[in-house]
Amino acid sequence: MLFRTNMLSLRQAWLPLCSILFLSTVGLSSSKAEGLDPSHVPADAQWLVHVDYESLSDSQVWQKLRSEKPMLRKMAQGWMKQRYGIDPPKDLKSLTMFSRDYREYTGTVLIQANFDADKIEKLLSKAMNHRKTQWQDHTLHTITLSKQKPSDDGPSGDQEMTIVMVDSDTILLASSVPNGKEALKLLSGESPSLDGKESPLLTDKVEDAWMYGAAINLAELKKHPIAMPILAQHQQITWSFGKQSDGTLYEQADFVAKSEDVAGKMKTVLDGIVAYELLWADGSTPMTTMMKSVEVKRDGRTAGFRWRGSSEQVVAAMDDVFERLQTWKPILMPHQRDNG
């Protein structure tokens, strides 16, 4: 979040659902803070991601990003429309994602938002292979995201999504009708959740984090079609970004490895990332100051980093980052150089 490469491994762990997280947040306003509700996460979840939209979108850092990169908003909205057949809600409150395993297209997303149910119904009716399933008091809308060759995942192998407008401010996105029904049972209290449970997925940063993620049983990633050998040598990961009670921003992550040897190597990796970022920051006092505030630590099988700083410090560093990236624009997009 605050520096570009230090969370690469975490982002790989939650691919592809984390792409939804980033692309659906850019430029969207919010109306009410919503912390992570453990009752909205199943007791046997293997990973979770939560975003508190009000705190994030009201922050000085996010406002800076929105003003400097307005095109990201248009890209995000277009991507959501094309990928899911629905426009992202304009008034997001919070988003929670989880899954009981690491297989692709098995996750669940809960969106708290103000939305127009009639508008979404009309959009869904125009989506590919739209059909309805009535279950209890709910209507489950299933659409095809993309056509695939037959596979073990189903008769057609198609990638599908099931959408449920649970109540006036809750939308459920599930990977299938059965997953949708399981999530509805969870929301109604009919199946076990993390509420009141001692779980490694829940840390003391859950309440004050703007963005929070955790994953356990990472050895299961060896079965994933995308090779993730580094993460698979860990037992669990937690990551959070937000604001502390004293007003300072923070970012931190902990990687619990299978052995102290792996933890030692992971600390070396994190030290190397910080060293790289310091080299990249050369000539920028704000960027250098921010990176010097990063502390990499190791305790037994746990390696991680901690960062603390002010919004003003981050915004100043972002100015220099955007300026440097701008110098690459003529090289990356030479056709725009002649067009101004």
Side-chain angles (χ1 to χ4, degrees), residues 4 35 88 94 136 158 260 300 305 307 317 333:
R4 300 175 311 284
S94 68
Q136 295 184 352
D158 295 342
E260 292 194 10
F305 66 84
W307 173 85
M333 295 179 287

Side-chain angles (χ1 to χ4, degrees), residues 16 47 99-107 153 179 223-225:
W47 62 261
S99 182
R100 293 177 170 85
D101 57 53
Y102 289 100
R103 291 178 298 142
E104 291 182 293
Y105 308 109
T106 59
D153 295 330
N179 274 12
K223 304 174 184 177
H224 199 283

